[in-house]
């Protein structure tokens, strides 16, 4: 047993040293809603996983939602493009007072797609990428659409200084909400500051506007901690700032990039 522990420790140290010397910058799309404009380098695999809890009032009921795990696999296939595979296990409880009215759980948010870098940053001009995803009907009927539905987003990043960056997204998505398919405009903006080589803080505003319904606007803040140059822990907490948004949400996760 002592030999196994020693070998594991040595392997972890070698893994960290290799990453520090050889790998490009490690940037994730979690835990914020805003997607980064960067893509995973060609030949690398990046797994981003986590959980989230959310509480919201829906038609007089209290809905408590758990997402566990949230899983996104990003694969660098070209210099400026990545392949994305995403799936989430979801649980929704609807309560009236202390009484459980409805309970749904199962596979949700099964999506495939790509992110393509369109422009590099030049002066005040931001780095820009295009995100395209297709949501499939492979999950539980209560959560998933009955046919494939699209999401298209434009992703931007402006580096204000070496330690501060401003990222923002805008796009369109069809989403199943309370049993109905809705066309939604999506938007977000995040300001991120690097406290050190290991710690980053961010503050974010984001929301969506379903056609014919009020917008759901939210704010959040979080932290990212780089355990190794290719291993990150994160945490986020937020609240709604409009009447139809969730009362609160919180989550955390872990992301890892596998070297070539």
């Amino acid at each position: 047993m002592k030999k196994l522990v020693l070998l594991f420790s040595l392997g972890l140290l070698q893994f960290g040293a290799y990453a520090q010397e050889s790998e490009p910058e490690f940037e994730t799309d979690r835990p914020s809603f805003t997607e980064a404009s960067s893509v995973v380098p060609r030949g690398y695999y990046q797994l981003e996983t986590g959980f989230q809890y959310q509480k919201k009032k829906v038609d007089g009921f209290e809905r408590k939602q758990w997402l566990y795990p949230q899983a996104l696999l990003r694969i660098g296939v070209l210099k400026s493009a990545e392949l994305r595979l995403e799936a989430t296990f979801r649980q929704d409880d609807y309560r009236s007072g202390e009484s459980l009215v409805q309970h749904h759980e199962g596979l949700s948010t099964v999506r495939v797609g790509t992110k393509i870098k369109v422009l590099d940053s030049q002066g005040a001009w931001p780095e820009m990428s295009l995100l395209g995803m297709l949501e499939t009907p492979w999950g539980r009927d209560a959560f998933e659409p009955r046919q494939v539905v699209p999401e298209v987003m434009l992703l931007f990043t402006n580096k204000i200084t070496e330690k501060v960056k401003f990222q923002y997204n805008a796009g369109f998505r069809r989403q199943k909400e309370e049993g109905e398919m809705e066309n939604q405009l999506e938007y977000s903006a995040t300001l991120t500051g690097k406290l050190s080589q290991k710690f980053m803080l961010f503050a974010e505003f984001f929301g969506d506007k379903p056609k014919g319904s009020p917008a759901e606007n939210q704010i959040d803040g979080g932290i990212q901690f780089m355990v190794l140059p290719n291993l990150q822990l994160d945490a986020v907490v937020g609240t709604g700032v409009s009447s139809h948004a969730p009362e609160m949400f919180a989550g955390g996760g872990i992301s890892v990039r596998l070297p070539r």
Side-chain angles (χ1 to χ4, degrees), residues 24-43:
E25 183 181 0
F26 181 32
E27 185 173 22
T28 65
D29 281 344
R30 61 163 298 112
S32 63
F33 178 88
T34 305
E35 305 273 0
S37 59
S38 60
V39 299
V40 173
R42 183 179 180 180

Side-chain angles (χ1 to χ4, degrees), residues 49-121:
T49 65
F51 70 93
Q52 181 175 297
Y53 167 77
Q54 176 179 286
K55 185 168 68 171
K56 180 180 181 180
K57 295 290 186 181
V58 179
D59 298 329
F61 298 99
E62 182 181 68
R63 184 184 77 182
K64 293 184 177 180
Q65 181 183 90
W66 293 265
L67 305 176
Y68 60 93
Q70 301 166 296
L72 171 63
L73 177 62
R74 304 168 59 190
I75 304 171
V77 292
L78 297 172
K79 181 180 179 181
S80 299
E82 67 180 43
L83 174 67
R84 300 165 66 90
L85 307 171
E86 181 181 358
T88 299
F89 188 87
R90 174 174 164 182
Q91 177 182 323
D92 283 2
D93 286 351
Y94 292 82
R95 293 183 176 273
S96 178
E98 296 299 319
S99 301
L100 180 62
V101 179
Q102 289 186 31
H103 171 83
H104 302 292
E105 66 176 65
L107 190 62
S108 172
T109 320
V110 183
R111 304 197 302 165
V112 297
T114 186
K115 184 195 293 187
I116 301 170
K117 183 183 289 188
V118 179
L119 291 173
D120 289 320
S121 176

